[in-house]
């Protein structure tokens, strides 16, 4: 048979078929490999520059070693299972139709048999290694575990066994069971494919070699299953499936004994499999396996169910009493609730003259500025340029000013590259020129200016104020919560400045330029590093731009929380980092938690649900991950320098065994808190997310009597935030406050409790009030003994103190107040209700809510105009807190509020004059003005319905004029209501249409 003629012209060499595809594959692998290398090596540079290369190395070497171990175990098991089964194939086999089919499969497989016999184990090994590497933290905690010095009440083992040993043993056992199952299936399929196992009419035929193989595999599986049954005994104390966490009556008296029986039975059946492999008789292991399955069903499922239904259920309260007691004690210990100072607070609801005299210091510090609403005021008054921005929610802190503690609302002026004009949105501008924000802005928390603006302590460009100036602290903000994804900074000495520094300080001054001088990021000056970072950030401009020089640094991963999470991967980071001026630098302070879901008898709590409130719902703070824990400690305080991004981790709770274990893993990454400066200590505060988790648990676990806990008739809930429409929890609030058992005020984090909400219904009366002492002192390396002390005031239910919802309802439904506020809502301005603060002063509970007024227009911002206060059934409503409190407490509260110097002045009129107070016709003027406003609204709505827009515009002008007259008339009034009899509300003070506050 002749070959077909070649189609290639004579003299032309024939191309090598198939060369292109392998070449493309090799090139693709090289490209992918280099991209992978670029991402890994840039991480190495980042960690080295920051001084945390130990963390990167330890974490990744651990992952690699665990991956290789998991890969090797799975690969070896599957490979040898296949290999042994293949070599045990029968040389001769009877012909049959089935055999013919298997012969065809063998013939098709033979050319690639060697590849398959290695490729399948590699594939399963990769999956197994990846799964094992993800458990690196369990492995490292097991290898570096620290004792708790506390034993569980059931097995009397140290708590570290449950947090650090049992999870590791469970991981190893589960992994080996998976390996045994996969290898066993691979061996069975290979035996079947090559004839060692055959399905025949009379049953299943297995060769002697296959029988031994299966027996050994079965024995290994049963031994591991027995170990798993044995470990399950200890896992019962971590149960969270019942009404209470931990091993309960049925677990202790039925589940734990049966798990022990099953563990022993599994071991015995494993021995029967080994015996069967030796003698070749399978009756005993088959019977043993059947008995094990039946025992597992009866003893492991039916018996506990019978005990629960017919013994426990009829006498549950009695039988579970001991185990409920365990649950209460261990949960309180795991969440740090066992040291809560609880006291009865017999709150009064009768406002008497001078009642605030014993609480004069607290009254003077009551915060009026709502950090959630005042951001727009900061932006309009202090932003200066569109390429600056302030966060949605500002932060509350305190500073020592003239020897006194001053609560402040503070923020940093961060860069907003999206604020650049369209024609400025070049790569050079976004990454080389506009690189940083500028300055700290802070205002007094307890007062405001006459026209309702923040009373700034630190402001302006250049930055000036009581916190320092450009010469006493570094105002430039390169690292913050809203920084660009990356910036390229730095230049050789003497090179021209490229970075926009800050706007002109005054008219006629030029814009200033700057060059970063710190050590804030990896060097990107070399050509090789340019290539790596060009790949990482997918930017060719970085490779070609003259904005990148030999001394250039690249700043990225600039969010303080992200930086702490990267250098401390074992921590859960609080959702709210806050800035402080410390030792001449702006430092972001970040709280880190060590957590675990394995604490025995402790109730699990989902972090995302426990920390959700109106702040997280509005995206003002970051929500915690959707993970469940039953142990938490604020173990680390971290700082991130806003200028150079340097991260410092301090071991705050140095007695936490989990943190001690991680310190053994990463011995150089944490510093003792004794190295914290006094200035830094003075700005440490109790973390919000830990407090929110604790208050969630305390709603039930303030009850320590197991019988009362069982009936659950004294459970509490966190009230919903009454200043927002959605049903979300009220956030905790920071404020300087003196609790009833304290001698002087302290910076506290506070929250309140109402009766448990069931199906959305609850009596909104106050049952409890929780405060966490947040003052750590101001001495270097010395933590104040009172820091972190939780104080819980329990209010007798019969007292009937209104809760936040009732207080807000009183504000909204008061005829005079609601009339004034409703008129404003229908006019050209918006009324914003501020955060509703609760304070245990005056022998009862005082509610304070600032009310803000915001006009229309893009440049408008809220101004604080009025303050609402409540005590029992009485309310006060005035331009200042001081006047409102005096109204509330019979004309004289007994203490001066922080805004007492404002003298109740209203905002200046448009012409610049302030209305004179004391006019006798003021009430008549106010009534007439409100009537005119009502008439203008009605006429305007009628005109709008008719489509007469000209008439509608005229009525809007009349409405604005009427509201201004109402403001002026109200300012003339000097309301001094007479004290009301006990339990009777005083006459409602006259209203003013201006308003304030935020949610």
């Amino acid at each position: 048979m002749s070959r077909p003629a070649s189609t290639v012209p004579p003299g032309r060499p024939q191309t090598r078929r198939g060369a292109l595809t392998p070449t493309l594959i090799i090139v693709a692998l090289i490209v992918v490999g280099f991209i992978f290398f670029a991402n890994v090596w840039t991480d190495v540079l980042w960690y080295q520059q920051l001084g945390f290369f130990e963390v990167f190395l330890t974490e990744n070497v651990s992952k690699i070693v665990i991956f290789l171990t998991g890969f090797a175990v799975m690969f070896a098991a599957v490979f040898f299972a296949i290999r042994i089964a293949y070599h045990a194939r029968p040389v001769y086999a009877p012909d049959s139709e089935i055999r013919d089919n298997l012969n065809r499969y063998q013939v098709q497989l033979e050319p690639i048999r060697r590849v398959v016999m290695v490729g399948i184990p590699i594939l399963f090994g990769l999956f197994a290694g990846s799964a094992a590497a993800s458990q690196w933290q369990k492995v490292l905690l097991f290898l570096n575990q620290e004792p708790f010095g506390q034993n569980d009440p059931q097995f009397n083992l140290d708590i570290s066994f449950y947090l650090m040993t049992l999870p590791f043993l469970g991981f190893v056992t589960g992994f080996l069971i998976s390996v045994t199952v996969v290898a066993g299936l691979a061996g069975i399929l290979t035996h079947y494919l090559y004839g060692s196992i055959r399905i025949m009419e009379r049953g299943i035929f297995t060769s002697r070699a296959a029988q031994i193989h299966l027996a050994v595999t079965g024995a290994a599986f049963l031994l591991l299953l027995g170990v798993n049954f044995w470990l399950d005994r200890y896992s019962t104390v971590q149960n969270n499936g019942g009404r209470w966490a931990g091993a309960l009556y049925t677990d202790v008296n039925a589940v734990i004994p049966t798990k022990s029986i099953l563990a022993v039975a599994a071991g015995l059946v494993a021995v029967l499999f080994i015996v069967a492999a030796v003698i070749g008789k399978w009756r005993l292991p088959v019977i043993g396996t059947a008995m094990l399955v039946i025992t597992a069903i009866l003893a492991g499922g039916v018996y506990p169910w019978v005990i629960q239904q017919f013994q426990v259920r009829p006498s549950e309260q009695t039988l579970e009493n001991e185990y409920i007691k365990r649950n209460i004690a261990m949960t309180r210990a795991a969440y740090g609730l066992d040291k809560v100072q609880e006291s009865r607070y017999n709150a009064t609801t009768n406002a008497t003259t001078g009642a605030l005299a014993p609480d004069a210091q607290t009254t003077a510090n009551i915060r009026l500025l709502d950090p959630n609403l005042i951001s727009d005021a900061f932006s309009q008054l202090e932003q200066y340029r569109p390429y600056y921005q302030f966060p949605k929610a500002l932060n509350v802190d305190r500073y020592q000013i003239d020897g006194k503690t001053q609560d402040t609302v503070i923020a940093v002026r961060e860069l907003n590259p999206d604020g650049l004009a369209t024609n400025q949105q070049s790569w050079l501008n976004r990454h080389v020129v506009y690189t940083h924000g500028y300055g700290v802005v802070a205002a007094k928390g307890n007062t405001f200016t006459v026209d309702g603006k923040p009373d700034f302590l630190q402001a302006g460009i250049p930055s000036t104020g009581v916190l320092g100036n450009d010469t006493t602290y570094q105002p430039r903000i390169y690292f913050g919560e809203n920084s660009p994804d990356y910036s390229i900074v730095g230049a050789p000495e003497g090179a021209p400045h490229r970075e926009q520094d800050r706007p002109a300080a005054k008219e006629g001054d030029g814009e200033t330029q700057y060059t970063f001088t710190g050590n804030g990021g990896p060097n990107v000056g070399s050509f090789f590093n340019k290539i790596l970072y060009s790949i990482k950030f997918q930017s060719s401009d970085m490779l070609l731009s003259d904005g990148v020089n030999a001394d250039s640094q690249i700043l990225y991963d600039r969010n303080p929380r992200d930086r702490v999470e990267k250098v401390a991967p074992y921590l859960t980071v609080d959702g709210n980092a806050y800035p402080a001026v410390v030792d001449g630098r702006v430092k972001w302070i970040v709280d880190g938690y060590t957590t675990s879901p394995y604490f025995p008898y402790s109730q699990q709590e989902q972090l995302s649900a426990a920390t959700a409130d109106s702040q997280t719902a509005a995206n003002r703070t970051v929500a915690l991950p959707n993970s469940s824990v039953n142990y938490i400690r604020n173990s680390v305080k971290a700082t991130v320098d806003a200028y150079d991004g340097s991260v410092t981790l301090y071991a705050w709770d140095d007695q936490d065994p989990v943190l001690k274990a991680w310190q053994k893993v990463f011995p150089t990454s944490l510093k003792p808190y004794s190295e914290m400066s006094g200035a830094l200590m003075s700005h440490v505060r109790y973390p919000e997310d830990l407090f929110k988790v604790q208050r969630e648990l305390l709603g039930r676990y303030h009850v320590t009597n197991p019988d009362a806990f069982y009936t659950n008739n004294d459970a509490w809930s966190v009230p919903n935030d009454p200043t927002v429409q959605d049903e979300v929890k009220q956030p905790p609030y920071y404020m300087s406050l003196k609790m009833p058992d304290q001698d002087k005020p302290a910076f506290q984090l506070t929250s309140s409790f109402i009766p448990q909400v069931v199906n959305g219904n609850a009596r909104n009366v106050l049952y409890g009030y929780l405060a966490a002492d947040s003052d750590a002192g101001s001495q270097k390396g010395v933590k104040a003994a009172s820091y972190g002390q939780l104080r819980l005031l329990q209010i007798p239910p019969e007292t009937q103190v209104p809760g936040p919802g009732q207080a807000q309802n009183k504000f909204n439904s008061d005829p005079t107040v609601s009339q004034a506020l409703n008129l404003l809502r229908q006019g050209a301005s918006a009324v914003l209700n501020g955060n509703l603060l609760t304070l245990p002063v005056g022998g009862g509970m005082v509610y304070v809510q600032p009310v803000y007024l915001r006009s229309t227009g893009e440049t408008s911002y809220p101004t604080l105009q009025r303050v609402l206060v409540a005590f029992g059934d009485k309310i006060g409503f005035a331009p200042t807190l001081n006047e409102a409190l005096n109204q509330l407490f019979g004309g004289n509260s007994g203490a001066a509020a922080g805004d007492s110097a404002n003298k109740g002045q209203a905002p200046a009129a448009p012409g610049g004059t302030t209305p004179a107070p004391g006019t006798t016709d003021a009430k008549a003027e106010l009534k007439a003005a409100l009537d005119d406003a009502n008439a203008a609204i009605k006429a305007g709505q009628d005109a709008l319905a008719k489509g007469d827009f000209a008439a509608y515009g005229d009525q809007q002008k009349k409405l604005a004029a009427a509201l201004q007259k109402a403001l002026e008339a109200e300012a003339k009034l000097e309301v001094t209501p007479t004290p009301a009899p006990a339990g009777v509300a005083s006459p409602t003070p006259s209203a003013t249409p201006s308003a304030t506050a935020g949610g």
Side-chain angles (χ1 to χ4, degrees), residues 409-471:
V409 176
I410 188 170
V412 294
R413 191 185 289 108
E414 291 199 53
L415 182 67
N416 176 25
D418 293 332
L420 296 173
T422 305
N423 60 358
Q424 291 181 297
Q425 293 285 348
S426 64
W427 180 89
L428 191 70
N429 272 342
R430 291 182 66 92
H431 299 289
V432 177
V433 177
Y434 292 92
T435 59
H436 61 277
Y438 185 90
V440 168
V441 178
K444 294 180 180 179
N446 62 341
T447 187
F448 54 97
T449 64
V450 171
D451 54 352
K453 297 176 184 176
D455 186 0
F456 289 109
L457 293 166
Q458 186 78 22
I461 291 181
S463 182
T464 56
V466 297
L467 307 187
N469 55 47
D470 286 9
T471 62

Side-chain angles (χ1 to χ4, degrees), residues 373-392 394 411-413 416 441 451-454 456 459-461 853-863:
L373 288 186
I374 209 67
S375 175
D376 285 344
F378 272 49
S379 297
Q380 289 300 319
L381 299 172
E382 286 294 325
Q383 185 170 307
Y384 287 97
R385 292 292 187 272
Y387 53 79
Y388 288 136
Q389 63 179 325
F390 289 97
K392 287 183 180 180
L394 311 186
V412 294
R413 191 185 289 108
N416 176 25
V441 178
D451 54 352
K453 297 176 184 176
F456 289 109
I461 291 181
L853 181 66
R854 180 170 190 159
S855 62
T856 56
E858 294 182 0
T859 60
S860 65
Y861 58 89
T863 57

Side-chain angles (χ1 to χ4, degrees), residues 15-24:
T15 58
R16 295 180 61 187
R17 296 181 180 179
L20 180 60
T21 300
T23 302
L24 291 176

Side-chain angles (χ1 to χ4, degrees), residues 340-383:
V340 175
Q341 286 185 5
E342 301 180 17
S343 59
R344 184 180 177 91
Y345 186 57
N346 295 310
T348 181
T349 56
N350 297 322
T352 58
T353 303
L356 296 184
D359 302 294
Q361 290 178 290
T362 297
T363 304
N365 285 318
I366 294 176
R367 180 169 54 79
L368 293 173
L369 290 193
D370 183 346
N372 303 321
L373 288 186
I374 209 67
S375 175
D376 285 344
F378 272 49
S379 297
Q380 289 300 319
L381 299 172
E382 286 294 325
Q383 185 170 307

Side-chain angles (χ1 to χ4, degrees), residues 77 186 215 635 696 998:
S635 53
E696 193 70 22

Side-chain angles (χ1 to χ4, degrees), residues 870-892:
F871 191 96
D873 291 329
K874 297 174 64 176
I875 69 169
F877 182 49
T880 66
L881 173 61
N882 194 68
E883 183 180 346
L885 289 174
N886 284 335
Q887 290 179 10
L888 193 62
F889 291 95
N892 180 15

Side-chain angles (χ1 to χ4, degrees), residues 54-59 62 136 140 144 567-570 661-670:
E54 171 198 64
V55 175
F56 176 85
L57 190 64
T58 302
E59 177 182 347
S62 300
W136 67 278
L140 292 184
N144 297 275
V567 302
Y570 50 89
W662 286 118
Q663 284 182 289
K664 290 167 69 175
V665 176
F666 305 112
T668 66
S669 65
L670 284 100

Side-chain angles (χ1 to χ4, degrees), residues 229 254-255 258-259 262 292-305:
F229 281 136
V255 175
T258 55
K259 292 289 184 181
L262 289 172
L292 179 63
V293 172
I294 294 171
T295 303
I297 295 173
L298 294 178
V302 176
Y303 176 60
W305 180 85

